[in-house]
Structures are given as C-alpha cells and as structure tokens.
Amino acid sequence: MANEKTLEDLFLDTLKDVYNAEKQALRAYPRLVKAVESDDLKAALEQHRDETETQIERLDKVFEMLEKPARGKTCEAIQGLIEESKEILSEFKGAPALDAGIIAAAQAIEHYEIARYGTLRTWANELGMKDAAKLFEETLKEESRTDEKLSKLAEKAANKKAA
C-alpha cells in the first residue's frame, strides 16, 4: 500500500520545521546583536527579536487550532544559516565589513522564513484554515518588513563602510 501522506501532513511537518527555526533564530539573536557596531542595526535586530517572540506565540495558536502539541522538528536549514552567521562573526570580528556580513546572515534567515510562511499561508487557505492563514500573513508581513529594513541599513551605511 502506498504512503498516504496528505497536504495536512505536509502542513503539520512544515509547521514543526518553522517552529523550530524560529526558536533557533531567537536563541541566535543575542549573539548577533552583541556583535554589531551600528546602533540602527542593533535596534532593528532587537525589534525583530521581539517580533520573533510574537511569531512563536502565533505558531502556538496554530498548533492549538490543530489540537496538536506545539513541538518543533529540527530545522537543519536554519542550523546551517546560523552556523554561517557564526563564521561571519568569527572571521570578520573587528572588520569594517562585520555589519554588512551580519545583515547578509540575518537576511538569509529572513528569506528562509518568508518562504516557509508564504507556503504555510497558501496551504492553510487550501485546507480551509482561514484563521491560521491570517496568522501566517501577519508574520509574513513582519518578516518582509524586517528584510526591507535590513536592506536599507545595508545600502545606507553598512555596505559603504565595508567597501
């Protein structure tokens, strides 16, 4: 008999993945914030750290809607992106390019999350989970705003300093 996995199974699996990704990202933020030199970048990262806590709360609500325990599964993609950020912190410590590297690392994480939340929103709509789709849309907007803010900070100062 063939494996009868459904879109609902895939949805739950991806929800667990992004839940773990957000938790890992939340643990990584203090290291990034401590390393940055720009006050504007520090403020942006701290603001997004706070948003991440709210995003985890939204994910908890989706788990509740599904009547499933809020549990993640190891997100190897985020693990890899966080490892890359650690390499940047180590290799560029004290260098003029450090903030530009931190922005790039943070944006790589944001882009992964944007992809995941866009997919989850679409699947939630497909599965008739309109309330969950709205929660994902809120988070997707926050992730996109953070990405835009990081791009502006890079263009305004960090990339110029790195050059």
Side-chain angles (χ1 to χ4, degrees):
M1 188 164 141
N3 190 345
E4 296 294 325
K5 293 281 188 173
T6 66
L7 183 59
E8 194 170 319
D9 296 318
L10 189 56
F11 177 84
L12 180 58
D13 193 62
T14 304
L15 181 64
K16 289 177 180 180
D17 175 89
V18 80
Y19 189 75
N20 178 261
E22 290 290 13
K23 294 242 179 187
Q24 286 188 61
L26 189 61
R27 287 191 301 272
Y29 274 111
R31 187 178 309 113
L32 295 176
V33 168
K34 185 178 177 186
V36 299
E37 295 177 2
S38 159
D39 289 338
D40 290 341
L41 178 55
K42 188 178 297 260
L45 291 174
E46 287 174 339
Q47 177 185 354
H48 192 62
R49 180 202 56 219
D50 295 343
E51 288 174 345
T52 299
E53 291 173 349
T54 302
Q55 292 166 359
I56 290 169
E57 291 170 8
R58 285 189 200 117
L59 292 171
D60 286 333
K61 288 179 186 175
V62 176
F63 279 109
E64 285 176 27
M65 290 174 194
L66 295 170
E67 298 179 355
K68 302 283 185 187
R71 224 179 12 234
K73 74 171 209 163
T74 302
C75 178
E76 293 181 21
I78 287 294
Q79 277 183 336
L81 294 171
I82 290 171
E83 281 305 311
E84 285 182 14
S85 73
K86 289 177 184 175
E87 288 175 21
I88 289 168
L89 294 179
S90 172
E91 293 174 19
F92 289 85
K93 184 177 184 176
L98 178 63
D99 281 2
I102 290 172
I103 289 171
Q107 283 187 295
I109 292 168
E110 294 310 306
H111 292 177
Y112 178 79
E113 292 172 347
I114 288 167
R116 284 302 196 199
Y117 284 113
T119 297
L120 284 167
R121 178 199 54 202
T122 299
W123 289 346
N125 279 321
E126 184 71 27
L127 294 166
M129 301 176 64
K130 303 300 182 205
D131 290 339
K134 287 177 188 170
L135 294 173
F136 294 132
E137 180 63 27
E138 280 183 67
T139 297
L140 191 55
K141 286 178 181 175
E142 289 171 352
E143 300 290 7
S144 296
R145 277 195 305 269
T146 296
D147 181 49
E148 289 173 26
K149 185 183 291 184
L150 290 172
S151 288
K152 286 178 182 168
L153 289 170
E155 292 165 4
K156 181 177 128 188
N159 293 348
K160 288 176 177 61
K161 182 179 175 187

